Amino acid sequence: MILVREEIGDVLRDLRLQKGHTLRQVAGRASVALGYLSEVERGQKEASSEILAAVADALDVPISAIMREVGDRISVLEGLHSFPDVVPDDLAGLGEDLVASELSYR
């Protein structure tokens, strides 16, 4: 079973480590109890939207980036792996038409 709280915790921990911050530093900047943030990162506690916003701010990362990463990880776990990097057939010609029309103006 996929638990969203575990994915959120993993993403928050990964971001914190990528930025070279300690748990204590992020907890202090976010005004969140160190133990609580530790439990969130380990997927043992649910992060409220307020806590998530405070931690995102402390990490200087938009909440949308955190949620996008969580969504991508869940997609992989669900077996969707990733979104196809192709343009749907009904939109495929639009780019070519725009390029051709721009070239005709030159």
Side-chain angles (χ1 to χ4, degrees), residues 59-93:
L59 292 170
D60 197 31
V61 176
I63 293 175
S64 60
I66 293 170
M67 299 312 292
R68 188 176 313 113
E69 179 64 21
V70 169
D72 289 348
R73 290 179 183 210
I74 290 172
S75 292
V76 169
L77 292 172
E78 289 177 332
L80 300 177
H81 301 293
S82 63
F83 295 100
D85 198 19
V86 296
V87 178
D89 290 338
D90 59 332
L91 299 176

Side-chain angles (χ1 to χ4, degrees), residues 1 21 25-26 32-33 42 48 50-51 64-65 69 71 74 79 83-86 90-92 96-97 102:
M1 173 190 321
H21 299 313
Q25 289 170 325
V26 174
V32 175
R42 288 182 279 137
S48 68
E50 291 86 0
I51 297 289
S64 60
E69 179 64 21
I74 290 172
F83 295 100
D85 198 19
V86 296
D90 59 332
L91 299 176
E96 294 169 10
D97 292 343
E102 187 167 319

Side-chain angles (χ1 to χ4, degrees), residues 6-62:
E6 290 178 355
E7 297 307 315
I8 290 172
D10 287 346
V11 168
L12 292 177
R13 183 185 321 100
D14 290 348
L15 287 169
R16 178 178 59 78
L17 294 173
Q18 284 173 10
K19 293 186 172 273
H21 299 313
T22 65
L23 194 60
R24 185 175 306 279
Q25 289 170 325
V26 174
R29 288 183 190 140
S31 299
V32 175
L34 177 68
Y36 186 78
L37 183 56
S38 175
E39 289 177 317
V40 168
E41 282 193 359
R42 288 182 279 137
Q44 296 175 338
K45 295 279 184 180
E46 298 276 351
S48 68
S49 58
E50 291 86 0
I51 297 289
L52 187 57
V55 173
D57 190 48
L59 292 170
D60 197 31
V61 176

